[in-house]
Amino acid sequence: MELFELTKALMDIPSVSGEEEAVGFFLRDHLTELGWTVELQPVSENQNNVIATLNDNPRVWLSTHMDTVPPFIPPTEDDEKIYGRGACDAKGIIAAQITAAERLRSEGIEDIGLLYTVEEERASTGAKAVNGHPLAAKCEYMINGEPTDNDLAIGSKGSFRLLIKTSGKAAHSAYPEEGDSAIETLLDILDDIRRTHFPHDDFFGETTVNIGTIDGGLALNVIPPRAEAGLLIRLTTKREPIEQALQSVIRGRGDIEVLSCSEPVKLHPVEGFTQKVVRFTTDIPHMPNWGKPLLLGPGSILVAHTKDEFVLKADLEKAAELYSQLVKELLARPPV
Ligand SMILES: [Zn+2]
């Protein structure tokens, strides 16, 4: 199946996080038919990572994720672009990687593996599960795919997800002096956080904070006894100094509940490729056993996760070339 057909075939199968079973079966069947040895690694009852090889111990791997954010948007196309969910994040990437791998194989290069994970868009449970896989020990370089505009990412920011929870005392809203508003306390804390300058890193850039959700209270006529806000902080340092800074801003007025954290990572640079730092995180921090990480993919992160997601067909073609070029360069190096 050629590159654009494969992209659309993958996009035709809904695979919002938690529902990747069908797309995993499709990839298993497709790669098996092409002659790859394919393993489905169970991650949960109906979620499997797809692991495909041509020899016993590939040195270089291509990987990305099979899940998408909601909602499912079926593929459409015109001469220039493929539109729909997963066009660039990350089904076009899977298709470009398989195309690259098949071209390499036709040139006699078989020292490559393919790894497709589940749940990257939520908690990277697929990446966490595959980190302990025995094939990881043989992997020297892992080329991960996410939309980087086909540039080679040399760093990616971390992601720290947390809740700030406040509690107060409920009372009749006509007698506010009898109560203590958890929402007002939370707003004070959030205001202080918005005025806080978090550390800047010369390599990774600014630490940014998104107050993404806010929730609390019972009714218009009740002083709210509890409230919470959900924050996602794009880390450019380790988590610890940021958590300490938050604690000193909160000053005991609320509690932090950590949801998840991936720290920023430096990625392997290769000369001759356009390099940049990306602000999003990937599966990479959760699979440290899989050799030196690289990151490159077609499409823009600015359209990923939106209703207007698309990928340029020319960028898919370019990505297939870049993947095969990268694999060749890495395989030409002496074994690590
Ligand atoms: Zn992605």
Side-chain angles (χ1 to χ4, degrees):
M1 213 184 288
E2 65 81 43
L3 178 53
F4 307 145
E5 293 308 312
L6 182 54
T7 300
K8 287 179 283 169
L10 288 163
M11 290 171 67
D12 266 327
I13 308 169
S15 62
V16 171
S17 307
E19 295 159 23
E20 303 93 333
E21 191 174 45
V23 77
F25 288 165
F26 173 88
L27 278 170
R28 174 197 59 194
D29 296 345
H30 181 63
L31 290 167
T32 304
E33 208 169 295
L34 292 171
W36 292 70
T37 303
V38 182
E39 175 191 338
L40 290 185
Q41 181 195 31
V43 177
S44 78
E45 210 172 304
N46 57 354
Q47 290 176 297
N48 306 288
N49 290 329
V50 177
I51 302 168
T53 53
L54 297 167
N55 69 12
D56 290 340
N57 54 351
R59 291 170 59 204
V60 177
W61 286 72
L62 294 160
S63 80
T64 187
H65 57 92
M66 296 180 287
D67 60 317
T68 71
V69 297
F72 171 69
I73 305 170
T76 54
E77 69 180 317
D78 57 28
D79 289 347
E80 273 195 331
K81 297 175 186 164
I82 297 175
Y83 306 84
R85 183 62 74 226
C88 66
D89 190 13
K91 287 169 172 174
I93 293 175
I94 298 178
Q97 292 182 343
I98 292 175
T99 302
E102 282 292 299
R103 288 180 192 163
L104 290 163
R105 191 176 164 209
S106 70
E107 296 172 34
I109 297 168
E110 303 212 325
D111 210 357
I112 32 178
L114 297 170
L115 167 62
Y116 299 117
T117 60
V118 298
E119 282 266 347
E120 188 274 345
E121 298 288 5
R122 291 204 298 213
S124 283
T125 52
K128 288 172 187 165
V130 84
N131 191 45
H133 195 284
L135 281 166
K138 312 280 179 62
C139 170
E140 295 175 19
Y141 300 96
M142 167 65 77
I143 304 168
N144 193 251
E146 290 290 347
T148 65
D149 306 292
N150 277 335
D151 293 336
L152 186 67
I154 51 169
S156 69
K157 286 188 181 182
S159 151
F160 183 23
R161 298 164 62 245
L162 62 116
L163 298 176
I164 296 176
K165 296 182 162 184
T166 54
S167 50
K169 183 172 171 245
H172 192 295
S173 66
Y175 301 85
E177 68 279 7
E178 296 295 311
D180 172 21
S181 168
I183 288 181
E184 289 190 9
T185 306
L186 182 66
L187 290 175
D188 290 344
I189 293 172
L190 295 177
D191 198 35
D192 291 345
I193 288 174
R194 292 175 65 200
R195 293 169 204 272
T196 301
H197 288 285
F198 290 98
H200 165 96
D201 181 85
D202 284 342
F203 180 81
F204 288 107
E206 299 296 331
T207 303
T208 58
V209 179
N210 181 43
I211 302 169
T213 61
I214 191 158
D215 190 26
L218 297 171
L220 298 190
N221 55 2
V222 181
I223 303 292
R226 60 184 168 272
E228 66 177 50
L231 275 60
L232 198 163
I233 302 180
R234 298 291 168 176
L235 292 178
T236 63
T237 61
K238 295 224 172 273
R239 157 181 159 183
E240 243 184 329
I242 302 299
E243 204 170 342
Q244 279 167 8
L246 283 174
Q247 292 290 11
S248 63
V249 170
I250 294 172
R251 293 195 316 274
R253 292 174 292 173
D255 295 309
I256 292 176
E257 183 186 324
V258 173
L259 299 175
S260 70
C261 184
S262 352
E263 295 198 327
V265 283
K266 288 197 174 175
L267 302 160
H268 190 67
V270 177
E271 262 180 50
F273 289 80
T274 312
Q275 304 182 350
K276 69 177 176 199
V277 171
V278 293
R279 301 190 199 170
F280 54 89
T281 192
T282 68
D283 270 341
I284 292 170
H286 305 287
M287 36 200 297
N289 291 349
W290 285 83
K292 292 194 167 98
L294 295 89
L295 179 63
L296 179 145
S300 167
I301 197 69
L302 300 179
V303 298
H305 299 197
T306 72
K307 66 178 179 24
D308 302 316
E309 184 172 349
F310 72 88
V311 69
L312 283 166
K313 291 177 173 177
D315 283 357
L316 284 177
E317 279 293 1
K318 181 75 186 159
E321 278 169 40
L322 291 170
Y323 285 133
S324 104
Q325 197 183 328
L326 264 180
V327 169
K328 282 183 186 172
E329 289 212 26
L330 296 170
L331 282 175
R333 298 177 179 189
V336 174

